[in-house]
Amino acid sequence: MEKSRKEKYIGRRMPRRDALVKAQGRAKYTADYRTADMLWGKAVFSGMAHARILRVDAAKAEALPGVVCVMTAKDLPAAKKYGIFCADKPVIAENMILYEGDPIAFIAAETKEIAEEAAALIEAEYEALPVVEDPREALRDDVPPIHENHPVTGNAKVMAEVTLDRGDVDAAFAEADIILEDDFETPQIEHVYLEPDCCIARWVDDTDVLEIVAPQQAVYSTLRALAPVFGLPESRVRFISPYVGGGFGGKEDSCCDLAVIAGLLAMKTRRKVYSEFTAEEVFRYTGKRHGSYVHHRMAATKDGRVIGLDIDIILDKGAYQSMSGLTGGPHAVAQRTVLYAAGPYSVENVRIRSRAVFTNHPYGAAMRGFGAPQIHFAGESQMNELAHRLNMDPVAIRKLNMITPERPTSFGQVLTEENGLGLEECMDKVKAELDKPFMPKHPVRPSQRRGMGLAAYIYGTGMPYKSEGAMCVVHVNRDASVEVGISTTEMGQGAQTVMAQIAAEALGVPVETVNVPLPDTFLSPDSGPTVASRSTTFVGNAILDACRKLLAGFTEAVAHGVGCSPEEVTYAKGVFAAPDGQEIPLRRAIYMAATQAIPQSAVGIWYPPVDIGFGPKGGNSMHTYSFGCQGIDLLLDVETGEIELLRSVLACDIGHALNPQLVEGQMEGGAVMGLGYALTEGVEYKKGVVSNDSMKDYVILGFKDLPQMTSIIVEAANCMGPFGAKGVGEPPLVATAPAVREAIRNASDGVKLNRIPFTPERVITGIYKAKEGGQTS
Amino acid sequence: MKKFSLMRPQTLEEALTILRDAPDVLPLNGGTDLMVDVNEGKLISPRFMYIGGLPELKKIEVRDGTLCFGGAVTYTELGACPDISAFPCIGQALSNLASPPIRNMGTPAGNMGTASPAGDFNLILLALGAEADLVSAAGMRTVPLSEFYLGVGKTVREKSELIAEIRIPLVKGQHSAFVKLGRRRGQDISRVSSAVSYLLDEGRIRDPRIAIGAVNAVPFRSGTFEEIVSGKTPDEAEAALEGAFPAEANPRRAYKRYVVTPMVRRAIREAQAQEGDWQWS
Amino acid sequence: MVMRLWVNGVEKEVQAEEDTMLIDLLRDRLHLTGTKKSCCSGECGACTVLVDGLPFRSCITPALVCEGRRVETIEGLGDAAHVHPIQQAFVDAGAVQCGFCTPGMILTAKALLEKNPEPTEEEIVEAMSGNFCRCTGYVKILDAVRSLVPYRPQEKEEKG
């Protein structure tokens, strides 16, 4: 698709429409709706990661004045377990604590202080059980399974196993000139969205509806997951999401953790209930990025062609399934690690196994990148090692291996230029930028060494399921203003803004007249969850579908009204033109439609027109993929292990930037989150309980850590995307960690660090071990 | 149960009387340590006495060749005092200590009281040979910083005492520097830190103070390192320390054995170019 | 007890317990919900308000110690009818994503620019370094503040 640009709104750097209300503090988040008449709902936890519950006694708590009710497991009215895909997480733990976030009671009190006092009065006795923290340890025969009676997996230790087996891996390794074999490790990661999880629940008495207001990412996922817990049909539970103060995948599940507290207490007390997690509780109880242990073997020719991959991945699943696939389907994160294991390269012989293993840690949930950052850390690190071994340029070796129309993906999907293959352009541009001279702002210390590195990525848009699609509804009012009903939540990515741009462009109306209300399951159809970098493409295409239907109807109405055939009527910039020269403005056409039983509202729907299906032998997985390249330039102090970032150069092929300012925002934010992944972040535990449960001890990057940031938008259009777009929310942080690893390797003359984060402690220990000739990490 | 109670004496005398009669009362300045403890449930319903506004504790002045500042002076207020140019390590510390909002609220005296092993300014005061006046209703005593800390969170301050004043001697020709190793650049707890001061006599180090923080339970000066560097030029001192490890240091984490000396050497090197700048008469 | 505070240029008398934190007084008693509650341990800066022109962590500041001091919240900068130039700069630069850090960022920028209307890049970074953001990667926030230099302070409108 050639560069646009006849479009009025598409491709424009339009300021987002919620920026002003947020900049003025007028934007309301869930906690801002709390009023003094609401009860305070609080869950009580055991402080233990693994225990049998012997006794819970709520009598003293119930007796405290100001406590309105206390619920324990025996008080649950309907389903006792829930989960986004699989109902395996206890609403209130009855017999077992499998991670610290399994609550033992819910309390509703008049004030927060009384609720906290009552929580301290809950009496409980436990039998402590051995805590299993390392999924590799969990697999040992002498370690009993965490789940004895899981609803899907019984007493299995492996929650899910996903495999890919193509070609002849053993033959490839037998004939290879070079074999690389390494172990890589990444920790669990916290989302650290600034808005702590919270929830307001209200039983609407005169319509028998449970109304829940909470920050979330998937109003329909939470509805489906929780209606059984409330014992209500989905049509009687209303989920509303106001502005969300950051999600990054975490608020897909964590919303449920709060909604069960407030919702059940609201139903029981028939009063409005507000519940929240403190920042510490978010750290301790909500889902995390899966930690990974990857055993990675690569077989290559001396010319640099990767001919075989043999990879074993173990993921720290934590205590519950969370991001499993559809019931009975493959585990989503495990599946993505397999899908992206070969990176953006065409490798014919692959044997990949990924197992999500239960532990007593917080459940592995969705987090930006969804398995791709973990596996790219391994794969791209080894690709860089191969380049070193063969003394080849890191970009050249990647070009040699990359997916082309002639060379399909490692899972057998053929991608053509129409799908958008922008990797080469991304790598060339990153390299060109890194090659430019750059002087550090401060004098370089004698102990500091300079190093640069890069890595590439592949990341699909959407989810690899046949049921993956989006619906929307577009209403055109009599005055030609438009409402777009979608369930996409606004968590900072700018969905409302870009959807308004798409609708305005498609309908030829001023963008200011397009309203995109915040999601509400009573008003918005199911657009699918706000995840997987899918909203612009899937929901955008659904909106285009609805707009096409509307315009087709209005065209028909005009044609009938003027007495010609619809093919003779044209529409541009808000005006219909009849063959006799008559001009009918949109408003008039709408009225004509209203008199002819032609709809002024349309349901739009979009499913990728690709045969999606991924199994152990591969298959088409997504309708399009983003490609990109991350370059890093840094100074390494070889005496202390300190890293000083100089430059981050990120190029992302995102098909087409519908709003370049929003795209840059995702790239910049993603790159910094990726740098934190590489350098400072990681959940730490003491006896299975999160020990760095605050922003003081869980370190994210700040202003002072920023290198010079360059974001390069590459547009290799996706023929199936709205105006050529691909997703951009997650790709920006997929390749950061291996790029940083490579830069450190080059700065230190060969220190190979295979565990992130690269804290000064890890780096200096690695430098010294390398000096002593040992394993560096 | 209240989160805390808060008394607000109007004068230092009033404050000291309260402390004499109710030693469980905790003096409160900016709250950057104590209020966090309240929010995190580490302090249950404490009785606070706010001293942050007491005029007697807000003075900053030069007196008898020392820079004196009161126990309620914030980091920001200290940083605005032009006389700190005599101590380059203070300027360095202030731009690396926590972040501006915390410096607007927090006080050197408060952090002395908290006695964290990683306290950046505690280290500075040690390296500059500071002393503090502890006052109570019964009187006053002066304690050099080198004798102030007893352990993690433990100091010689009695419950009835307040840190009324901290004094740093102004020394003509004094060089100083502060360095810290953290996980990120801004607002981070030091993992290893060092503050160094010395004079240069014809280019040779005299009266060195080498202070190391975030390694032992308390910030400490390394006498062994000070002996090594005395009489040497900074370059010679750096070279002499290479590969050495301060005998006084006892880090719990193994990697600190690699990085303590490089940090000290860095501080010595930086101090060479950083001579105190003041209106010596 | 009754507390007297100056908030956004207006003296307020508020009924509150002595252990009320400034952030809770602002949000719950005065219904000024623009100041956000996040880490509650003085780390993230989402709760930033200005006290006598200085950025403070309202989550760890007792309201009582602010009696007689000037407190400014994001609501004091502007509203739908009057957009403060710093707010406009954030909008134009794309410096707002989820918006939770934004009020704190804007107030910190205001404190900087009013004290130092022509800050260097380093001074901007230093001044903002106590405010954290998880969405933007900070780049466009810096763009927004830089775009205001040299800064012309606003005439204070008498309110209330």
Side-chain angles (χ1 to χ4, degrees):
Chain A
M1 193 190 265
E2 77 281 13
K3 282 260 181 231
S4 200
R5 308 315 335 203
K6 44 195 198 309
E7 281 124 15
K8 187 167 179 192
Y9 299 115
I10 299 301
R12 272 183 45 188
R13 302 180 69 90
M14 293 183 58
R16 49 187 301 152
R17 47 183 42 200
D18 55 349
L20 183 60
V21 292
K22 288 175 174 175
Q24 295 197 318
R26 290 191 285 129
K28 292 250 184 280
Y29 302 78
T30 302
D32 301 332
Y33 288 114
R34 181 173 70 84
T35 52
D37 61 326
M38 293 182 189
L39 293 177
W40 193 280
K42 184 174 172 59
V44 182
F45 299 91
S46 65
M48 306 178 72
H50 196 195
R52 186 160 287 125
I53 302 172
L54 301 174
R55 182 179 74 92
V56 175
D57 190 338
K60 289 202 178 107
E62 277 165 333
L64 187 68
V67 169
V68 176
C69 90
V70 180
M71 293 177 74
T72 61
K74 60 175 173 25
D75 302 311
L76 296 173
K80 299 190 189 304
K81 298 191 179 188
Y82 66 99
I84 283 287
F85 289 114
C86 162
D88 68 340
K89 188 170 193 284
V91 177
I92 299 179
E94 192 161 11
N95 302 305
M96 294 294 288
I97 303 280
L98 296 185
Y99 89 109
E100 202 204 354
D102 279 332
I104 55 164
F106 292 168
I107 296 172
E110 295 291 349
T111 70
K112 178 182 179 192
E113 289 69 35
I114 295 173
E116 286 170 349
E117 245 185 275
L121 293 174
I122 300 278
E123 291 179 347
E125 259 176 65
Y126 309 97
E127 180 199 334
L129 296 171
V131 175
V132 179
E133 299 209 58
D134 188 326
R136 298 167 300 182
E137 189 197 310
L139 290 172
R140 285 197 341 237
D141 288 333
D142 58 321
V143 177
I146 306 252
H147 283 276
E148 284 161 353
N149 210 1
H150 188 278
V152 173
T153 55
N155 66 353
K157 296 178 180 185
V158 177
M159 184 246 120
E161 179 170 321
V162 180
T163 59
L164 180 65
D165 212 320
R166 288 172 64 88
D168 189 339
V169 169
D170 294 324
F173 274 81
E175 73 181 60
D177 298 317
I178 301 207
I179 293 178
L180 298 174
E181 184 166 355
D182 292 289
D183 289 290
F184 297 91
E185 253 181 70
T186 66
Q188 284 193 306
I189 297 291
E190 177 57 59
H191 306 79
V192 199
Y193 33 73
L194 285 193
E195 180 201 22
D197 294 282
C198 56
C199 182
I200 296 175
R202 173 170 89 109
W203 177 255
V204 185
D205 202 48
D206 59 351
T207 52
D208 275 358
V209 161
L210 180 63
E211 187 179 278
I212 296 189
V213 175
Q216 54 200 292
Q217 292 184 228
V219 287
Y220 275 93
S221 301
T222 30
L223 173 64
R224 286 191 276 266
L226 298 188
V229 171
F230 303 130
L232 296 168
E234 290 175 21
S235 57
R236 293 216 165 275
V237 184
R238 180 180 189 183
F239 273 94
I240 297 168
S241 178
Y243 292 111
V244 178
F248 313 112
K251 284 183 169 141
E252 226 185 317
D253 280 84
S254 59
C255 163
C256 295
D257 297 339
L258 270 297
V260 294
I261 303 170
L264 285 172
L265 291 173
M267 287 179 73
K268 187 117 193 255
T269 62
R270 291 310 211 233
R271 284 183 55 186
K272 285 189 245 184
V273 176
Y274 172 81
S275 188
E276 71 178 25
F277 275 170
T278 62
E280 286 78 33
E281 288 172 325
V282 175
F283 273 102
R284 294 164 87 99
Y285 308 144
T286 65
K288 308 279 172 268
R289 184 192 293 291
H290 294 70
S292 75
Y293 302 85
V294 180
H295 187 77
H296 200 279
R297 291 179 72 225
M298 178 189 272
T301 67
K302 58 180 169 3
D303 309 310
R305 279 284 288 137
V306 178
I307 57 173
L309 288 170
D310 183 8
I311 304 172
D312 195 286
I313 301 153
I314 293 178
L315 299 174
D316 182 346
K317 180 68 256 182
Y320 298 105
Q321 285 208 356
S322 170
M323 285 298 127
S324 56
L326 311 172
T327 310
H331 185 276
V333 174
Q335 196 252 25
R336 299 304 189 278
T337 59
V338 172
L339 192 65
Y340 300 131
Y345 312 113
S346 178
V347 181
E348 279 182 20
N349 307 295
V350 296
R351 180 167 58 219
I352 304 165
R353 174 172 77 157
S354 186
R355 290 174 290 170
V357 179
F358 286 121
T359 67
N360 294 122
H361 280 167
Y363 56 91
M367 185 171 173
R368 200 175 190 180
F370 210 70
Q374 293 96 316
I375 197 59
H376 276 76
F377 178 56
E380 281 299 282
S381 295
Q382 245 185 21
M383 184 59 90
N384 280 327
E385 288 302 325
L386 183 65
H388 282 288
R389 201 68 101 77
L390 296 172
N391 212 15
M392 280 181 74
D393 174 75
V395 172
I397 199 170
R398 287 173 164 85
K399 286 187 185 177
L400 192 59
N401 286 288
M402 69 186 184
I403 295 161
T404 66
E406 294 75 38
R407 297 209 298 261
T409 72
S410 61
F411 44 92
Q413 183 167 3
V414 173
L415 296 176
T416 68
E417 294 298 339
E418 283 202 318
N419 299 116
L421 294 171
L423 179 59
E424 192 163 356
E425 191 182 337
C426 287
M427 293 194 294
D428 286 340
K429 287 184 168 169
V430 168
K431 181 153 201 295
E433 187 64 33
L434 282 181
D435 283 345
K436 289 183 189 162
F438 179 84
M439 290 297 295
K441 290 194 198 84
H442 306 293
V444 175
R445 293 192 295 272
S447 51
Q448 285 181 305
R449 308 269 186 279
R450 188 126 171 213
M452 290 197 263
L454 58 77
Y457 75 79
I458 177 176
Y459 195 79
T461 296
M463 298 183 279
Y465 312 127
K466 283 192 165 45
S467 62
E468 157 70 321
M471 289 190 290
C472 74
V473 69
V474 178
H475 306 291
V476 181
N477 296 304
R478 291 288 176 91
D479 67 351
S481 68
V482 176
E483 285 142 52
V484 177
I486 54 178
S487 67
T488 308
T489 61
E490 178 50 75
M491 50 184 185
Q493 81 284 45
Q496 291 180 307
T497 301
V498 92
M499 303 305 172
Q501 287 175 258
I502 292 172
E505 192 73 51
L507 288 173
V509 298
V511 72
E512 314 77 61
T513 64
V514 178
N515 181 22
V516 185
L518 290 163
D520 175 340
T521 56
F522 273 15
L523 303 176
S524 339
D526 188 1
S527 315
T530 314
V531 304
S533 308
R534 65 189 287 285
S535 300
T536 300
T537 48
F538 284 70
V539 184
N541 274 336
I543 292 171
L544 289 176
D545 181 51
C547 293
R548 264 192 297 273
K549 288 167 175 162
L550 286 164
L551 284 180
F554 298 149
T555 300
E556 205 189 300
V558 166
H560 193 259
V562 307
C564 67
S565 73
E567 296 76 50
E568 297 172 279
V569 175
T570 58
Y571 177 71
K573 296 184 183 168
V575 179
F576 289 90
D580 63 358
Q582 257 190 92
E583 287 195 339
I584 295 108
L586 180 58
R587 237 182 247 229
R588 174 112 190 96
I590 292 164
Y591 182 74
M592 291 163 90
T595 62
Q596 295 177 39
I598 288 174
Q600 307 107 66
S601 298
V603 171
I605 188 164
W606 192 77
Y607 282 61
V610 174
D611 182 23
I612 302 286
F614 180 87
K617 286 297 175 193
N620 297 334
S621 300
M622 315 268 192
H623 78 283
T624 191
Y625 299 83
S626 167
F627 297 92
C629 182
Q630 168 77 62
I632 295 287
D633 180 5
L634 54 75
L635 289 169
L636 164 67
D637 190 318
V638 295
E639 287 182 344
T640 61
E642 287 162 290
I643 305 280
E644 192 179 320
L645 293 168
L646 295 176
R647 288 185 291 172
S648 159
V649 181
L650 174 63
C652 292
D653 159 24
I654 47 85
H656 182 41
L658 304 197
N659 184 327
Q661 193 182 70
L662 297 182
V663 170
E664 287 163 9
Q666 292 304 299
M667 290 178 70
E668 291 152 6
V672 172
M673 193 178 269
L675 289 169
Y677 187 52
L679 294 171
T680 62
E681 295 184 39
V683 181
E684 293 161 20
Y685 291 92
K686 267 198 186 91
K687 294 195 192 157
V689 164
V690 177
S691 59
N692 57 344
D693 58 348
S694 76
M695 282 179 75
K696 185 183 301 178
D697 299 317
Y698 184 96
V699 174
I700 67 170
L701 297 184
F703 278 99
K704 283 171 124 167
D705 302 296
L706 270 200
Q708 179 187 85
M709 304 271 294
T710 304
S711 302
I712 300 167
I713 295 176
V714 167
E715 295 181 312
N718 162 26
C719 64
M720 288 183 264
F723 306 99
K726 301 179 185 179
V728 69
E730 294 165 284
L733 56 42
V734 174
T736 332
V740 174
R741 177 191 183 278
E742 177 66 5
I744 293 173
R745 192 199 192 288
N746 289 329
S748 63
D749 267 340
V751 174
K752 302 178 216 177
L753 299 172
N754 293 351
R755 279 181 78 189
I756 52 170
F758 304 131
T759 57
E761 175 172 0
R762 282 241 171 90
V763 176
I764 195 63
T765 305
I767 288 174
Y768 273 83
K769 284 204 176 132
K771 278 193 211 167
E772 293 154 19
Q775 169 75 12
T776 48
S777 78
Chain B
M1 186 167 55
K2 277 187 196 289
K3 267 210 294 275
F4 57 86
S5 65
L6 186 65
M7 283 175 271
R8 288 181 296 165
Q10 297 302 302
T11 66
L12 180 59
E13 201 187 318
E14 214 185 304
L16 295 176
T17 309
I18 292 172
L19 284 183
R20 180 196 66 204
D21 298 336
D24 63 312
V25 166
L26 297 171
L28 178 72
N29 255 313
T32 56
D33 292 320
L34 293 172
M35 278 306 177
V36 177
D37 288 343
V38 166
N39 280 354
E40 292 181 348
K42 293 184 183 137
L43 273 179
I44 311 289
S45 212
R47 297 175 68 194
F48 285 133
M49 177 180 74
Y50 183 61
I51 58 169
L54 290 177
E56 303 94 324
L57 301 182
K58 278 299 207 185
K59 295 196 211 124
I60 308 179
E61 61 186 2
V62 172
R63 215 173 60 225
D64 305 329
T66 67
L67 175 64
C68 315
F69 56 95
V73 168
T74 66
Y75 287 107
T76 295
E77 286 162 353
L78 185 64
C81 169
D83 299 302
I84 64 162
S85 58
F87 313 104
C89 65
I90 290 185
Q92 267 184 310
L94 289 180
S95 59
N96 282 299
L97 188 157
S99 60
I102 297 191
R103 299 197 291 266
N104 292 337
M105 298 162 68
T107 61
N111 287 145
M112 275 176 65
T114 305
S116 156
D120 290 335
F121 214 76
N122 300 344
L123 196 68
I124 296 284
L125 293 172
L126 191 62
L128 293 177
E131 61 183 18
D133 285 343
L134 301 176
V135 296
S136 68
M140 190 193 83
R141 59 184 178 126
T142 300
V143 178
L145 262 287
S146 52
E147 292 166 26
F148 187 76
Y149 301 102
L150 298 173
V152 177
K154 292 189 175 64
T155 70
V156 300
R157 181 185 75 88
E158 300 287 345
K159 291 188 170 146
S160 57
E161 291 177 310
L162 284 179
I163 299 169
E165 186 175 84
I166 299 167
R167 284 186 297 278
I168 307 176
L170 285 153
V171 179
K172 186 170 180 190
Q174 184 185 60
H175 291 242
S176 67
F178 168 75
V179 295
K180 73 184 272 182
L181 174 73
R183 280 196 177 188
R184 68 178 174 207
R185 305 208 150 252
Q187 195 182 290
D188 194 21
I189 301 172
S190 292
R191 315 283 156 165
V192 172
S193 52
S194 180
V196 149
S197 72
Y198 52 77
L199 299 172
L200 284 177
D201 237 347
E202 285 167 17
R204 299 193 164 275
I205 292 173
R206 184 160 70 80
D207 291 347
R209 289 196 198 94
I210 295 178
I212 297 170
V215 173
N216 289 1
V218 302
F220 66 95
R221 278 172 57 180
S222 169
T224 54
F225 268 24
E226 287 167 5
E227 221 182 285
I228 292 175
V229 306
S230 287
K232 296 192 169 62
T233 67
D235 287 344
E236 288 167 355
E238 247 197 278
L241 289 177
E242 189 164 359
F245 187 75
E248 303 87 352
N250 191 16
R252 282 196 307 161
R253 307 248 342 193
Y255 83 100
K256 293 194 182 186
R257 295 198 164 266
Y258 298 132
V259 305
V260 169
T261 302
M263 294 302 285
V264 171
R265 294 168 66 235
R266 187 188 304 177
I268 290 172
R269 179 171 60 249
E270 289 189 11
Q272 186 176 17
Q274 294 177 182
E275 183 179 340
D277 171 33
W278 201 72
Q279 295 275 60
W280 308 101
S281 53
Chain C
M1 60 186 295
V2 175
M3 299 191 198
R4 277 184 192 77
L5 279 86
W6 282 85
V7 180
N8 296 330
V10 178
E11 194 178 21
K12 300 273 188 198
E13 266 188 29
V14 190
Q15 186 74 240
E17 299 295 318
E18 81 177 307
D19 63 345
T20 306
M21 289 298 190
L22 180 60
I23 190 171
D24 295 318
L25 184 128
L26 294 169
R27 285 178 56 84
D28 299 338
R29 296 261 169 264
L30 296 178
H31 308 295
L32 296 169
T33 57
T35 306
K36 300 306 175 198
K37 241 180 141 166
S38 181
C39 75
C40 290
S41 56
E43 283 294 315
C44 69
C47 71
T48 300
V49 298
L50 301 184
V51 177
D52 292 333
L54 292 174
F56 261 51
R57 306 289 212 216
S58 68
C59 70
I60 50 172
T61 302
L64 257 187
V65 314
C66 297
E67 275 201 317
R69 302 180 80 171
R70 284 182 305 118
V71 176
E72 274 176 272
T73 72
I74 189 70
E75 289 90 344
L77 257 69
D79 54 30
H82 311 91
V83 181
H84 193 280
I86 301 180
Q87 292 169 334
Q88 191 61 51
F90 270 63
V91 169
D92 294 341
V96 180
Q97 287 191 29
C98 87
F100 217 70
C101 75
T102 305
M105 292 284 180
I106 288 176
L107 286 170
T108 301
K110 177 177 190 269
L112 163 71
L113 293 168
E114 290 194 342
K115 198 172 260 167
N116 182 0
E118 291 198 50
T120 63
E121 186 72 17
E122 242 185 72
E123 286 169 336
I124 296 174
V125 168
E126 177 65 38
M128 305 296 295
S129 65
N131 290 71
F132 288 82
C133 173
R134 194 58 159 161
C135 294
T136 65
Y138 305 103
V139 176
K140 292 188 183 337
I141 297 176
L142 289 171
D143 289 345
V145 179
R146 210 182 293 118
S147 76
L148 290 157
V149 176
Y151 180 68
R152 267 170 284 284
Q154 300 307 293
E155 288 290 308
K156 270 226 153 33
E157 278 185 44
E158 283 304 312
K159 285 203 183 160

